[in-house]
Amino acid sequence: MITKTSKTARTSIKVPSKPAEKTNVYRNVVRQFNKAADLMGLDPDIRKILSMTNNEIIVHFPVKMDEGGVEMFTGYRVQHNNVLGPYKGGLRYHPAVDIDEVRALATWMTWKAAIVHIPYGGAKGGIQIDPSSYSFTEIERITRRFTYALGNNIGPEYDIPAPDVNTNSQIMAWILDTYLMTMPANERQRCIHVVTGKPLEAGGSVGRDKATGQGIVFSIEKWAEDHGFSLDGASYMVQGFGNVGSWSARLLKPYGSRLIAVEDVTGAIFNKAGIDPDNLASYAKESGGISGYPHAASIDHRTFLSTSADIFIPAALENQITEETAPFLNVKLVAEGANGPTDPDGDLILEKKGIDIIPDVLCNSGGVIVSYFEWLQNKRSEFWELDEVDSKLRHKIIGAYERVHGRVNDYETDWRTAAYIIALSRLEKVYKERGIFP
Ligand code: NAD
């Protein structure tokens, strides 16, 4: 076995000490898909096509460890569909990454891009790894070797990775550099859009870091407006305090809303008077998690789930709101920051309880929308200001929100199914126009 290097040498990447219990998340995708396909009467041939992923790449690759010796790693990239544009989706470093999880996440990416009208297909990938067990330099070599192993399965006009759980702009910079080093020297400059979510200096976009949280907050604002609900004085709780959770929490604060409960992999905390999300974000960055935050009481998972609040933003992992946990929820709105946080049984319970849901494929689409903006800026050698990025993001996500609302009314169905119907109708139309080769 490999001896790991000291904690101080590690990246700031946080990882669960114990992975969430594994359930087959791809089964959820299939159930959600079938419900929408049945309701809209999706063409049976298109249904066959969209029920399967296009490509599933599994790579095993060796990496030299700091203390000598080699460890083998398993990486995945699943490309679900690219009829609307290049494959697009994040890379996750987590012990629970497996082929079914990546299939599910890739499929959701196809729907998401179609719902928000951006010219991308869906993909996702990752490495089955607990990154907290590896040093900064080991994570760099693992990332570079994974990129090399993927080879031409990714590319700026073909399949464009981005950050996801336990990956960040630093990891995107290593992928970019490794990919470019495999290109002929005279082609490198026109390929920096091979990844999005890059650091600004390496070709990233302003506003990408907060984009998913910003999109969630724009969606919540729209929901509040439509329901005549004042966000000023409203209470909210957040599960997961990484990129998506912390940005959502911080961006909701200026509306006068009060963050009262937070959970991450290190524990859960509560303060009825309000937790300052900016202060908590600094604390979590320093200490590697929210546990021990001095201005809130520590609570257990069940108490966290039962918190009485107006808005719940799940922004951690999938399958958090299920038949077992949904009965505890005591909120008006679930704004899904994570991908797949609510399973189909959880959905039914929330519906019975009269809890509104802004589904993941709409609510967390800010990340892929601003990734698209980054990609466009790279292709055009442009650099947009933050105001421009934010106002274009708002326009895209509010437009999608209104389209989904329209389908909810047309089909008298729930928001998730309505969102799927938009995606499936669009994909069906394109397949019918183009036909099936040969
Ligand atoms: P991240 O790695 O930055 O943060 C993940 C957070 O979840 C951490 O705070 C971690 O402690 C917490 N967590 C992990 N397991 C947990 C558990 N069992 N219980 C409670 N908390 C737990 O990841 P992220 O980029 O913020 O992604 C979070 C979710 O949002 C994922 O579902 C991801 O697919 C989705 N998402 C991310 C983006 C993006 O732009 N990063 C875009 C769309 C959707």
Side-chain angles (χ1 to χ4, degrees), residues 186-209:
N186 63 347
E187 287 181 25
R188 287 179 194 153
Q189 278 323 306
R190 59 172 188 81
C191 289
I192 63 163
H193 52 304
V194 65
V195 279
T196 58
K198 300 181 285 289
L200 278 187
E201 302 74 16
S205 173
V206 290
R208 173 61 185 89
D209 203 27

PDB file of all heavy atoms in Angstrom, residues 186-209:
ATOM      1  N   ASN A 186       1.138  24.376 -33.064  1.00  0.00           N
ATOM      2  CA  ASN A 186       0.437  25.458 -33.768  1.00  0.00           C
ATOM      3  C   ASN A 186      -1.088  25.362 -33.673  1.00  0.00           C
ATOM      4  O   ASN A 186      -1.803  26.169 -34.230  1.00  0.00           O
ATOM      5  CB  ASN A 186       0.882  25.509 -35.235  1.00  0.00           C
ATOM      6  CG  ASN A 186       0.515  24.242 -35.984  1.00  0.00           C
ATOM      7  OD1 ASN A 186       0.159  23.242 -35.374  1.00  0.00           O
ATOM      8  ND2 ASN A 186       0.597  24.278 -37.305  1.00  0.00           N
ATOM      9  N   GLU A 187      -1.583  24.353 -32.961  1.00  0.00           N
ATOM     10  CA  GLU A 187      -3.051  24.232 -32.815  1.00  0.00           C
ATOM     11  C   GLU A 187      -3.513  24.529 -31.395  1.00  0.00           C
ATOM     12  O   GLU A 187      -4.707  24.568 -31.116  1.00  0.00           O
ATOM     13  CB  GLU A 187      -3.503  22.822 -33.211  1.00  0.00           C
ATOM     14  CG  GLU A 187      -3.434  22.597 -34.715  1.00  0.00           C
ATOM     15  CD  GLU A 187      -3.912  21.209 -35.092  1.00  0.00           C
ATOM     16  OE1 GLU A 187      -4.692  20.608 -34.347  1.00  0.00           O
ATOM     17  OE2 GLU A 187      -3.465  20.732 -36.155  1.00  0.00           O
ATOM     18  N   ARG A 188      -2.549  24.723 -30.483  1.00  0.00           N
ATOM     19  CA  ARG A 188      -2.925  24.790 -29.068  1.00  0.00           C
ATOM     20  C   ARG A 188      -3.814  25.982 -28.746  1.00  0.00           C
ATOM     21  O   ARG A 188      -4.781  25.851 -28.011  1.00  0.00           O
ATOM     22  CB  ARG A 188      -1.668  24.841 -28.192  1.00  0.00           C
ATOM     23  CG  ARG A 188      -0.995  23.499 -28.151  1.00  0.00           C
ATOM     24  CD  ARG A 188       0.266  23.490 -27.332  1.00  0.00           C
ATOM     25  NE  ARG A 188       0.988  22.262 -27.623  1.00  0.00           N
ATOM     26  CZ  ARG A 188       2.290  22.108 -27.524  1.00  0.00           C
ATOM     27  NH1 ARG A 188       3.048  23.106 -27.116  1.00  0.00           N
ATOM     28  NH2 ARG A 188       2.848  20.954 -27.832  1.00  0.00           N
ATOM     29  N   GLN A 189      -3.497  27.134 -29.292  1.00  0.00           N
ATOM     30  CA  GLN A 189      -4.216  28.343 -28.888  1.00  0.00           C
ATOM     31  C   GLN A 189      -5.693  28.304 -29.240  1.00  0.00           C
ATOM     32  O   GLN A 189      -6.498  28.978 -28.612  1.00  0.00           O
ATOM     33  CB  GLN A 189      -3.545  29.599 -29.482  1.00  0.00           C
ATOM     34  CG  GLN A 189      -2.344  30.070 -28.676  1.00  0.00           C
ATOM     35  CD  GLN A 189      -2.518  29.902 -27.165  1.00  0.00           C
ATOM     36  OE1 GLN A 189      -3.483  30.361 -26.581  1.00  0.00           O
ATOM     37  NE2 GLN A 189      -1.584  29.214 -26.513  1.00  0.00           N
ATOM     38  N   ARG A 190      -6.042  27.503 -30.243  1.00  0.00           N
ATOM     39  CA  ARG A 190      -7.467  27.476 -30.596  1.00  0.00           C
ATOM     40  C   ARG A 190      -8.222  26.345 -29.882  1.00  0.00           C
ATOM     41  O   ARG A 190      -9.317  25.987 -30.282  1.00  0.00           O
ATOM     42  CB  ARG A 190      -7.653  27.404 -32.113  1.00  0.00           C
ATOM     43  CG  ARG A 190      -7.022  26.211 -32.761  1.00  0.00           C
ATOM     44  CD  ARG A 190      -7.395  26.090 -34.232  1.00  0.00           C
ATOM     45  NE  ARG A 190      -6.921  24.825 -34.764  1.00  0.00           N
ATOM     46  CZ  ARG A 190      -7.548  23.671 -34.597  1.00  0.00           C
ATOM     47  NH1 ARG A 190      -8.672  23.626 -33.937  1.00  0.00           N
ATOM     48  NH2 ARG A 190      -7.042  22.564 -35.116  1.00  0.00           N
ATOM     49  N   CYS A 191      -7.596  25.799 -28.846  1.00  0.00           N
ATOM     50  CA  CYS A 191      -8.245  24.673 -28.149  1.00  0.00           C
ATOM     51  C   CYS A 191      -8.504  24.916 -26.675  1.00  0.00           C
ATOM     52  O   CYS A 191      -8.814  23.975 -25.947  1.00  0.00           O
ATOM     53  CB  CYS A 191      -7.385  23.420 -28.299  1.00  0.00           C
ATOM     54  SG  CYS A 191      -7.418  22.803 -29.978  1.00  0.00           S
ATOM     55  N   ILE A 192      -8.389  26.159 -26.194  1.00  0.00           N
ATOM     56  CA  ILE A 192      -8.524  26.344 -24.744  1.00  0.00           C
ATOM     57  C   ILE A 192      -9.962  26.130 -24.255  1.00  0.00           C
ATOM     58  O   ILE A 192     -10.196  26.046 -23.062  1.00  0.00           O
ATOM     59  CB  ILE A 192      -7.992  27.721 -24.263  1.00  0.00           C
ATOM     60  CG1 ILE A 192      -8.799  28.870 -24.871  1.00  0.00           C
ATOM     61  CG2 ILE A 192      -6.512  27.892 -24.508  1.00  0.00           C
ATOM     62  CD1 ILE A 192      -8.584  30.159 -24.102  1.00  0.00           C
ATOM     63  N   HIS A 193     -10.883  26.022 -25.177  1.00  0.00           N
ATOM     64  CA  HIS A 193     -12.265  25.727 -24.751  1.00  0.00           C
ATOM     65  C   HIS A 193     -12.523  24.224 -24.612  1.00  0.00           C
ATOM     66  O   HIS A 193     -13.661  23.786 -24.623  1.00  0.00           O
ATOM     67  CB  HIS A 193     -13.282  26.396 -25.678  1.00  0.00           C
ATOM     68  CG  HIS A 193     -13.083  26.118 -27.142  1.00  0.00           C
ATOM     69  ND1 HIS A 193     -11.910  26.374 -27.812  1.00  0.00           N
ATOM     70  CD2 HIS A 193     -13.939  25.612 -28.074  1.00  0.00           C
ATOM     71  CE1 HIS A 193     -12.053  26.033 -29.087  1.00  0.00           C
ATOM     72  NE2 HIS A 193     -13.269  25.568 -29.256  1.00  0.00           N
ATOM     73  N   VAL A 194     -11.452  23.442 -24.430  1.00  0.00           N
ATOM     74  CA  VAL A 194     -11.629  22.002 -24.182  1.00  0.00           C
ATOM     75  C   VAL A 194     -12.211  21.725 -22.797  1.00  0.00           C
ATOM     76  O   VAL A 194     -12.797  20.677 -22.567  1.00  0.00           O
ATOM     77  CB  VAL A 194     -10.288  21.234 -24.362  1.00  0.00           C
ATOM     78  CG1 VAL A 194      -9.245  21.647 -23.328  1.00  0.00           C
ATOM     79  CG2 VAL A 194     -10.516  19.734 -24.314  1.00  0.00           C
ATOM     80  N   VAL A 195     -12.031  22.662 -21.866  1.00  0.00           N
ATOM     81  CA  VAL A 195     -12.716  22.565 -20.566  1.00  0.00           C
ATOM     82  C   VAL A 195     -13.301  23.927 -20.217  1.00  0.00           C
ATOM     83  O   VAL A 195     -12.783  24.963 -20.660  1.00  0.00           O
ATOM     84  CB  VAL A 195     -11.788  22.159 -19.390  1.00  0.00           C
ATOM     85  CG1 VAL A 195     -11.533  20.689 -19.330  1.00  0.00           C
ATOM     86  CG2 VAL A 195     -10.503  22.946 -19.379  1.00  0.00           C
ATOM     87  N   THR A 196     -14.337  23.928 -19.386  1.00  0.00           N
ATOM     88  CA  THR A 196     -14.855  25.187 -18.828  1.00  0.00           C
ATOM     89  C   THR A 196     -14.738  25.105 -17.310  1.00  0.00           C
ATOM     90  O   THR A 196     -14.443  24.040 -16.760  1.00  0.00           O
ATOM     91  CB  THR A 196     -16.306  25.442 -19.253  1.00  0.00           C
ATOM     92  OG1 THR A 196     -17.099  24.327 -18.813  1.00  0.00           O
ATOM     93  CG2 THR A 196     -16.428  25.613 -20.748  1.00  0.00           C
ATOM     94  N   GLY A 197     -14.948  26.263 -16.678  1.00  0.00           N
ATOM     95  CA  GLY A 197     -14.729  26.318 -15.233  1.00  0.00           C
ATOM     96  C   GLY A 197     -13.248  26.470 -14.942  1.00  0.00           C
ATOM     97  O   GLY A 197     -12.770  26.084 -13.867  1.00  0.00           O
ATOM     98  N   LYS A 198     -12.518  27.016 -15.919  1.00  0.00           N
ATOM     99  CA  LYS A 198     -11.068  27.233 -15.757  1.00  0.00           C
ATOM    100  C   LYS A 198     -10.836  28.450 -14.848  1.00  0.00           C
ATOM    101  O   LYS A 198     -11.709  29.308 -14.704  1.00  0.00           O
ATOM    102  CB  LYS A 198     -10.433  27.542 -17.132  1.00  0.00           C
ATOM    103  CG  LYS A 198     -10.595  26.430 -18.162  1.00  0.00           C
ATOM    104  CD  LYS A 198      -9.933  26.797 -19.481  1.00  0.00           C
ATOM    105  CE  LYS A 198     -10.676  27.822 -20.326  1.00  0.00           C
ATOM    106  NZ  LYS A 198     -11.910  27.359 -20.953  1.00  0.00           N
ATOM    107  N   PRO A 199      -9.611  28.582 -14.302  1.00  0.00           N
ATOM    108  CA  PRO A 199      -9.291  29.836 -13.612  1.00  0.00           C
ATOM    109  C   PRO A 199      -9.360  30.982 -14.632  1.00  0.00           C
ATOM    110  O   PRO A 199      -9.134  30.770 -15.831  1.00  0.00           O
ATOM    111  CB  PRO A 199      -7.843  29.624 -13.156  1.00  0.00           C
ATOM    112  CG  PRO A 199      -7.585  28.154 -13.272  1.00  0.00           C
ATOM    113  CD  PRO A 199      -8.504  27.626 -14.326  1.00  0.00           C
ATOM    114  N   LEU A 200      -9.649  32.191 -14.137  1.00  0.00           N
ATOM    115  CA  LEU A 200      -9.797  33.349 -15.037  1.00  0.00           C
ATOM    116  C   LEU A 200      -8.591  33.526 -15.942  1.00  0.00           C
ATOM    117  O   LEU A 200      -8.720  33.716 -17.158  1.00  0.00           O
ATOM    118  CB  LEU A 200      -9.949  34.631 -14.215  1.00  0.00           C
ATOM    119  CG  LEU A 200     -11.324  34.961 -13.677  1.00  0.00           C
ATOM    120  CD1 LEU A 200     -11.323  36.330 -13.041  1.00  0.00           C
ATOM    121  CD2 LEU A 200     -12.354  34.880 -14.810  1.00  0.00           C
ATOM    122  N   GLU A 201      -7.397  33.435 -15.338  1.00  0.00           N
ATOM    123  CA  GLU A 201      -6.166  33.699 -16.086  1.00  0.00           C
ATOM    124  C   GLU A 201      -5.939  32.655 -17.180  1.00  0.00           C
ATOM    125  O   GLU A 201      -5.260  32.928 -18.163  1.00  0.00           O
ATOM    126  CB  GLU A 201      -4.955  33.708 -15.144  1.00  0.00           C
ATOM    127  CG  GLU A 201      -5.024  34.718 -14.005  1.00  0.00           C
ATOM    128  CD  GLU A 201      -6.008  34.332 -12.887  1.00  0.00           C
ATOM    129  OE1 GLU A 201      -6.433  33.168 -12.814  1.00  0.00           O
ATOM    130  OE2 GLU A 201      -6.350  35.229 -12.095  1.00  0.00           O
ATOM    131  N   ALA A 202      -6.476  31.470 -16.998  1.00  0.00           N
ATOM    132  CA  ALA A 202      -6.280  30.395 -17.974  1.00  0.00           C
ATOM    133  C   ALA A 202      -7.409  30.371 -19.007  1.00  0.00           C
ATOM    134  O   ALA A 202      -7.546  29.403 -19.758  1.00  0.00           O
ATOM    135  CB  ALA A 202      -6.197  29.055 -17.248  1.00  0.00           C
ATOM    136  N   GLY A 203      -8.247  31.428 -19.017  1.00  0.00           N
ATOM    137  CA  GLY A 203      -9.311  31.485 -20.020  1.00  0.00           C
ATOM    138  C   GLY A 203     -10.697  31.276 -19.454  1.00  0.00           C
ATOM    139  O   GLY A 203     -11.653  31.061 -20.200  1.00  0.00           O
ATOM    140  N   GLY A 204     -10.815  31.332 -18.134  1.00  0.00           N
ATOM    141  CA  GLY A 204     -12.136  31.166 -17.520  1.00  0.00           C
ATOM    142  C   GLY A 204     -13.002  32.403 -17.702  1.00  0.00           C
ATOM    143  O   GLY A 204     -12.535  33.430 -18.192  1.00  0.00           O
ATOM    144  N   SER A 205     -14.264  32.276 -17.296  1.00  0.00           N
ATOM    145  CA  SER A 205     -15.188  33.412 -17.403  1.00  0.00           C
ATOM    146  C   SER A 205     -15.455  33.980 -16.018  1.00  0.00           C
ATOM    147  O   SER A 205     -15.589  33.215 -15.053  1.00  0.00           O
ATOM    148  CB  SER A 205     -16.522  32.951 -17.992  1.00  0.00           C
ATOM    149  OG  SER A 205     -17.471  34.005 -17.950  1.00  0.00           O
ATOM    150  N   VAL A 206     -15.569  35.294 -15.928  1.00  0.00           N
ATOM    151  CA  VAL A 206     -16.051  35.858 -14.672  1.00  0.00           C
ATOM    152  C   VAL A 206     -17.462  35.306 -14.456  1.00  0.00           C
ATOM    153  O   VAL A 206     -18.194  35.049 -15.416  1.00  0.00           O
ATOM    154  CB  VAL A 206     -16.085  37.412 -14.670  1.00  0.00           C
ATOM    155  CG1 VAL A 206     -14.692  37.992 -14.667  1.00  0.00           C
ATOM    156  CG2 VAL A 206     -16.899  37.957 -15.818  1.00  0.00           C
ATOM    157  N   GLY A 207     -17.783  35.082 -13.205  1.00  0.00           N
ATOM    158  CA  GLY A 207     -19.137  34.617 -12.887  1.00  0.00           C
ATOM    159  C   GLY A 207     -19.338  33.116 -12.996  1.00  0.00           C
ATOM    160  O   GLY A 207     -20.394  32.615 -12.636  1.00  0.00           O
ATOM    161  N   ARG A 208     -18.333  32.350 -13.474  1.00  0.00           N
ATOM    162  CA  ARG A 208     -18.537  30.906 -13.589  1.00  0.00           C
ATOM    163  C   ARG A 208     -18.528  30.221 -12.232  1.00  0.00           C
ATOM    164  O   ARG A 208     -19.291  29.294 -11.985  1.00  0.00           O
ATOM    165  CB  ARG A 208     -17.485  30.264 -14.520  1.00  0.00           C
ATOM    166  CG  ARG A 208     -17.519  28.727 -14.563  1.00  0.00           C
ATOM    167  CD  ARG A 208     -18.864  28.195 -15.073  1.00  0.00           C
ATOM    168  NE  ARG A 208     -19.012  26.741 -15.031  1.00  0.00           N
ATOM    169  CZ  ARG A 208     -19.489  26.056 -13.986  1.00  0.00           C
ATOM    170  NH1 ARG A 208     -19.868  26.657 -12.866  1.00  0.00           N
ATOM    171  NH2 ARG A 208     -19.608  24.746 -14.056  1.00  0.00           N
ATOM    172  N   ASP A 209     -17.654  30.713 -11.341  1.00  0.00           N
ATOM    173  CA  ASP A 209     -17.531  30.085 -10.040  1.00  0.00           C
ATOM    174  C   ASP A 209     -18.876  30.095  -9.294  1.00  0.00           C
ATOM    175  O   ASP A 209     -19.284  29.094  -8.718  1.00  0.00           O
ATOM    176  CB  ASP A 209     -16.462  30.855  -9.231  1.00  0.00           C
ATOM    177  CG  ASP A 209     -15.878  29.993  -8.134  1.00  0.00           C
ATOM    178  OD1 ASP A 209     -15.888  28.764  -8.302  1.00  0.00           O
ATOM    179  OD2 ASP A 209     -15.443  30.547  -7.104  1.00  0.00           O
TER     180      ASP A 209
END
